[in-house]
Amino acid sequence: MTTVGTNTAQPRERILKAATTLLAEGGREAVSTRAVSAAAGVQAQTIYRHFGDMQGLLDEVARQGYASYLAAKQADGQDGDPVDQLSRGWDMHVAFGLANPALYRLLYTEPRPGQQFAVTGEAHQVLRRIVERVAKAGRLRTSVETAATMVHSAGMGVTLTLIAAQDDDQLTAYEGLADTVRDAILAAVLAPAAPAAPAGGPEPGARPAPVHAIALKSLMRDGVRSLTPGERALLGELLDRIATEERPGSGTSETQP
């Protein structure tokens, strides 16, 4: 059994290190009170004193394991082309899952009715802010909520599929899957970039009204002080209706969640 040195580390640090190692080596089922106590060289009561219960311990393991990934994702989502950031964020998410399969499963498949890990909720908010920037740039064809949910759901599904394939040494059979699904999802939620206007001439080809409506609604979230709350609510409702209009030639209409 893996054990953690007891000479210098404090009990809390030893417990966290033991739980993290057990999770990485044996998955969620390996992180039991008895196993953590033995590996960390502490009594069970010490675990409960520091973390409340085993779920509290797992929450802290998840938070620490996710911290560097979340920091990198937050740093990448501040400036630059938001469409590129959305694509890079997908790649970062898949890479994190493949590098940390047991932790990823803990974060995204652990049954917790009516709850979610705070760190995954924070990551989703980072994704939503990037999608909001895409909308403000006039590049989103769905609502922000719909796009963020589609990207998140598809990314999680692909990552779990690849983790399972990795466990069975079948990862090469799925080569290119993450890129293919990413490109399909982005094609579904992104509007084409506006063509450049010729020098001194009008903008060629008007953008579809739903794209402008989605962009304007996102920009309104920054605050429109010239409108009353009632006027903002009415304008938001009108923009939602425009955003769900059928685009000419599409044969379908956009829907809000």
Side-chain angles (χ1 to χ4, degrees):
M1 174 181 293
T2 301
T3 58
V4 177
T6 60
N7 292 332
T8 59
Q10 295 298 313
R12 176 183 173 85
E13 296 170 356
R14 298 203 307 270
I15 292 167
L16 279 170
K17 186 173 181 180
T20 300
T21 301
L22 288 165
L23 178 67
E25 293 179 348
R28 168 65 180 85
E29 295 75 14
V31 189
S32 65
T33 302
R34 178 178 296 180
V36 173
S37 298
V42 300
Q43 298 295 319
Q45 293 90 332
T46 306
I47 298 174
Y48 302 139
R49 184 168 66 250
H50 284 283
F51 300 99
D53 55 20
M54 289 301 293
Q55 188 60 63
L57 172 58
L58 286 168
D59 284 353
E60 184 60 18
V61 168
R63 188 191 68 77
Q64 291 198 2
Y66 211 52
S68 59
Y69 161 75
L70 187 58
K73 192 167 186 178
Q74 288 173 323
D76 188 59
Q78 299 301 317
D79 301 297
D81 183 351
V83 173
D84 288 344
Q85 289 165 356
L86 192 58
S87 180
R88 289 197 303 271
W90 173 286
D91 295 341
M92 289 171 59
H93 184 95
V94 174
F96 172 82
L98 290 176
N100 304 273
L103 177 59
Y104 191 90
R105 284 193 176 110
L106 174 66
L107 287 162
Y108 288 102
T109 68
E110 181 79 6
R112 304 186 73 186
Q115 303 180 43
Q116 66 175 353
F117 278 107
V119 288
T120 57
E122 190 174 350
H124 188 74
Q125 288 305 309
V126 174
L127 168 62
R128 195 184 184 287
R129 287 194 291 271
I130 295 173
V131 174
E132 187 91 44
R133 292 188 62 229
V134 173
K136 290 177 180 179
R139 292 296 311 278
L140 202 63
R141 69 165 82 242
T142 72
S143 71
V144 171
E145 292 76 12
T146 295
T149 299
M150 288 175 66
V151 172
H152 170 74
S153 300
M156 183 173 62
V158 164
T159 305
L160 289 171
T161 297
L162 294 178
I163 287 173
Q166 182 174 253
D167 290 346
D168 295 333
D169 295 323
Q170 298 293 322
L171 197 56
T172 55
Y174 291 87
E175 186 175 357
L177 176 66
D179 292 348
T180 299
V181 177
R182 177 200 63 208
D183 293 346
I185 290 295
L186 294 185
V189 302
L190 295 178
E203 179 181 347
R207 305 295 300 280
V211 173
H212 287 296
I214 292 166
L216 180 55
K217 186 173 182 183
S218 293
L219 290 166
M220 283 176 58
R221 292 192 177 97
D222 294 335
V224 182
R225 284 178 288 182
S226 60
L227 299 179
T228 66
E231 289 170 337
R232 285 197 297 271
L234 177 59
L235 179 55
E237 181 179 344
L238 293 174
L239 291 173
D240 283 342
R241 288 170 60 183
I242 296 171
T244 58
E245 281 186 355
E246 182 176 326
R247 297 190 306 276
S250 68
T252 59
S253 61
E254 303 290 352
T255 57
Q256 299 279 354

